[in-house]
Amino acid sequence: MQKLYRIESVEKLHDFFQIGGPKNPLISIISNMEIAGFSAAEDAFSCDLYVIALKENLKGSCVYGRSVYDFDDGTMIFTAPGQIVSGPMQIEDDLRGFTLCFHPDLIRASHLSSTIDTYDFFSYKVNEALHLSEGEKGKIKGFVANIKEEIERASDDLALELAVGNLELILNYSRRFQARQFSTRAAQYSCILRDFETYLTDYFQTDQQLVYGIPTLEMCGKAMNMSGKYLSSLLKFETGKGLVDHIHDFVVERAKNHLVNSDQSVGEVAYLLGFNYHQHFSYLFKRKTGTSPKEFRMQYAHAS
């Protein structure tokens, strides 16, 4: 049976790494030099914290698709609470950078609590990490230094509020840097987008929707060998539409062909496209086209 080690609090994370207790129970910034060389034999790890890590001085590179990306400039990795990471864990002996962790309670009463789910990079895979330039690293480290100062000072009621404000700046700048990364790697990503369109076409041409239903975010990501959220971010950067919108647009176009070129009922068309309930299909079709499936069919019938 797989051994799962669960980290439920900032304090427990410090205990896990065998370092001194945190300055604040809700947020901590750990220098990676403090944990360099650490190892743990657990099979898997689950953490109830948000973690933002900047890793510098990593050795080697990662292979992504057919391309190789090195880590020379520094790598940022984001994980959300509840994600399971396979073990065992081994941290490089000379790792530099920081590991910032915070409990969801830190942002519970702040504006960030309602927006943090929009930062898709918390759901990316490790090989989809953000690679920073020296200037970008300097910007992020400045905000981290501000947070550390507020945590250690904690002399007034504004300390945590200011820490959360700088945390939000880290996330917003990371979003900007992620867009820069998409832009500079556009050539590599263009083939992924073409492959995704081919995947959707093949999926419906081989009637997989009759077995598995409409493709999900996770299914599409797996087919493209990446996380669904990362694929969605790529699509949104390139086209302005996320993955779900692309799937829905694709399905609606196929629905139009069925409605115009067959006498199948709306329910039959919905079934052929992978919908369990024709009401869901009709709602999506009207939201995308402004007309119901029946109205759309009648428009073409009158036109002919």
Side-chain angles (χ1 to χ4, degrees), residues 174-295:
S174 296
R175 178 178 279 164
R176 169 184 281 179
F177 300 153
Q178 191 75 57
R180 183 271 308 154
Q181 182 164 295
F182 286 149
S183 179
T184 56
R185 297 179 180 177
Q188 291 96 331
Y189 294 148
S190 61
C191 63
I192 294 173
L193 303 185
R194 289 195 301 270
D195 289 346
F196 173 62
E197 293 294 334
T198 300
Y199 163 74
L200 284 182
T201 300
D202 291 345
Y203 185 92
F204 283 91
Q205 284 183 346
T206 55
D207 290 333
Q208 294 183 59
Q209 77 278 8
L210 300 180
V211 180
Y212 305 110
I214 303 296
T216 64
L217 197 76
E218 291 74 20
M219 289 166 61
C220 293
K222 185 177 181 180
M224 295 295 101
N225 195 31
M226 63 183 70
S227 67
K229 285 290 185 69
Y230 194 76
L231 176 59
S232 187
S233 296
L234 270 178
L235 288 167
K236 193 164 188 178
F237 177 79
E238 290 289 335
T239 69
K241 293 182 179 181
L243 187 145
V244 173
D245 268 337
H246 272 269
I247 295 172
H248 288 170
D249 288 344
F250 186 92
V251 169
V252 166
E253 287 304 309
R254 292 186 74 88
K256 289 177 180 178
N257 291 334
H258 282 293
L259 292 168
V260 172
N261 299 309
S262 78
D263 57 0
Q264 295 160 332
S265 69
V266 171
E268 288 172 328
V269 172
Y271 170 77
L272 287 173
L273 292 171
F275 289 86
N276 290 325
Y277 303 101
H278 70 85
Q279 296 92 337
H280 293 171
F281 163 67
S282 296
Y283 171 78
L284 172 64
F285 191 92
K286 187 166 186 177
R287 182 167 63 83
K288 286 289 185 179
T289 67
T291 63
S292 70
K294 288 184 178 180
E295 291 169 341

Side-chain angles (χ1 to χ4, degrees), residues 15-140:
D15 290 341
F16 175 70
F17 284 129
Q18 300 174 12
I19 57 178
K23 299 286 186 180
N24 187 285
L26 295 179
I27 184 171
S28 180
I29 299 170
I30 301 170
S31 168
N32 287 342
M33 294 177 65
E34 294 182 71
I35 57 177
F38 176 84
S39 63
E42 280 77 10
D43 296 326
F45 306 85
S46 175
C47 184
D48 293 345
L49 309 173
Y50 287 96
V51 178
I52 302 171
L54 172 66
K55 299 185 176 184
E56 299 179 277
N57 201 36
L58 284 170
K59 301 296 191 298
S61 59
C62 75
V63 178
Y64 186 72
R66 295 189 181 93
S67 301
V68 177
Y69 302 122
D70 60 45
F71 294 111
D72 290 344
D73 288 335
T75 300
M76 281 191 76
I77 296 172
F78 304 78
T79 59
Q83 295 186 26
I84 295 177
V85 179
S86 296
M89 179 183 291
Q90 177 67 51
I91 298 176
E92 294 87 343
D93 290 333
D94 54 354
L95 184 65
R96 300 292 184 268
F98 65 82
T99 297
L100 188 161
C101 59
F102 64 96
H103 194 278
D105 285 349
L106 175 73
I107 62 173
R108 194 79 65 190
S110 70
H111 168 263
L112 186 55
S113 66
S114 62
T115 62
I116 195 161
D117 288 341
T118 67
Y119 297 98
D120 289 342
F121 39 68
F122 277 109
S123 300
Y124 291 173
K125 294 180 180 179
V126 171
N127 64 342
E128 298 159 355
L130 172 60
H131 302 279
L132 301 180
S133 68
E134 285 297 324
E136 291 167 346
K137 278 197 302 183
K139 180 75 71 173
I140 296 297

